[in-house]
């Protein structure tokens, strides 16, 4: 069977000659990637993920909030309201934005966009600015009235980093591994 016959058989077996119309757009895809990354976080309070994307819509970095490499999730604290500062997770946890930038799979992240579930704090804003990222897309700004988030906006405004809140078109994107029809996906059938 040659390529033309294979392509025709695939078209006929799918029952359609046109593309799917219910696919997710780029922004949904990258925000969903950030939320999928957040599922790796062991933080009991907030699970945040981030996805860095270049101008060609290629993912160049993904991260989530967690302990630094080599710091055991079992030995370091996850609490926030503690009597001793050394028992507070904020002294140790790396935020999703930091991890996404440090986990980059390219030479740099200049002129990239970062997608993140929660608006970045001032520390992450500094890393975003220093790395050359030019746009921040976030889902929630629930802590926006706190000074550390106001400081982020002030720094972004001063440096020209564009930021905007993503408003989802749909309530959820579901990945159901039990519902995947592998035989329909294979071009070799």
């Amino acid at each position: 069977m040659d390529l033309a016959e294979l392509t025709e058989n695939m078209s006929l077996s799918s029952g359609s000659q046109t593309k799917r119309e219910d696919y997710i757009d780029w922004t949904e895809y990258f925000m969903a990637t950030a939320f999928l990354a957040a599922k790796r976080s062991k933080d009991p309070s907030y699970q945040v993920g981030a996805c860095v994307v270049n101008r060609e819509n290629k993912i160049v970095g993904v991260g989530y909030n967690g302990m630094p490499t080599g710091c055991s999730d079992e030995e370091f604290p996850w609490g926030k309201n503690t009597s001793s500062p050394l028992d507070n997770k904020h002294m140790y946890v790396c935020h999703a934005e930091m991890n996404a930038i440090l986990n980059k799979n390219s030479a740099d992240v200049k002129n990239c966009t970062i997608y993140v579930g929660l608006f970045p704090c001032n520390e992450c804003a500094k890393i975003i600015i220093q790395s050359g990222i030019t746009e921040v897309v976030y889902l929630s700004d629930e802590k926006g009235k706190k000074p550390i988030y106001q400081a982020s906006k002030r720094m972004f405004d001063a440096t020209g980093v564009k930021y905007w809140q993503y408003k989802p078109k749909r309530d959820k994107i579901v990945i159901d591994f039990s519902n995947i029809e592998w035989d329909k996906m294979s071009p070799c059938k």
Side-chain angles (χ1 to χ4, degrees):
M1 183 180 294
D2 68 3
L3 184 59
E5 288 175 309
L6 179 63
T7 304
E8 179 154 343
N9 285 344
M10 286 174 54
S11 293
L12 293 174
S13 67
S14 70
S16 175
Q17 298 293 321
T18 61
K19 71 178 182 179
R20 280 182 42 237
E21 295 298 326
D22 63 341
Y23 60 90
I24 60 176
D25 66 30
W26 286 117
T27 304
E28 288 174 300
Y29 175 64
F30 299 133
M31 190 60 77
T33 300
F35 272 80
L36 184 59
K39 294 288 189 186
R40 285 281 311 139
S41 176
K42 295 172 184 88
D43 192 318
S45 304
Y46 280 94
Q47 299 81 48
V48 181
C51 178
V52 180
V53 179
N54 69 16
R55 290 184 175 178
E56 289 81 39
N57 284 329
K58 294 180 180 163
I59 295 173
V60 297
V62 176
Y64 57 89
N65 58 316
M67 294 297 168
T69 303
C71 294
S72 170
D73 294 329
E74 306 299 325
E75 295 175 22
F76 282 82
W78 288 105
K80 296 190 304 187
N81 302 317
T82 61
S83 58
S84 168
L86 291 177
D87 292 329
N88 189 311
K89 72 175 184 173
H90 295 296
M91 299 293 267
Y92 309 101
V93 171
C94 297
H95 287 185
E97 300 92 331
M98 176 194 297
N99 280 328
I101 292 166
L102 291 173
N103 292 339
K104 69 185 184 297
N105 60 13
S106 62
D108 62 44
V109 293
K110 281 191 185 339
N111 300 312
C112 286
T113 299
I114 189 166
Y115 293 80
V116 64
L118 190 61
F119 189 84
C121 71
N122 64 314
E123 293 299 322
C124 289
K126 291 185 259 186
I127 294 168
I128 289 167
I129 293 165
Q130 289 297 90
S131 72
I133 289 174
T134 56
E135 185 174 13
V136 176
V137 182
Y138 61 94
L139 186 71
S140 174
D141 192 18
E142 69 181 61
K143 298 180 176 191
K145 300 225 183 294
K146 291 186 174 187
I148 63 171
Y149 300 96
Q150 292 174 349
S152 297
K153 290 175 183 169
R154 187 174 177 187
M155 287 186 283
F156 288 156
D157 290 341
T159 59
V161 173
K162 180 180 167 188
Y163 56 92
W164 56 279
Q165 187 171 22
Y166 172 64
K167 303 285 188 189
K169 297 175 191 167
R170 41 184 119 209
D171 292 333
K172 57 185 167 183
I173 296 172
V174 177
I175 300 171
D176 182 354
F177 292 118
S178 67
N179 199 23
I180 295 174
E181 299 179 45
W182 293 109
D183 58 331
K184 288 184 180 179
M185 295 176 74
S186 175
C188 299
K189 294 267 178 190

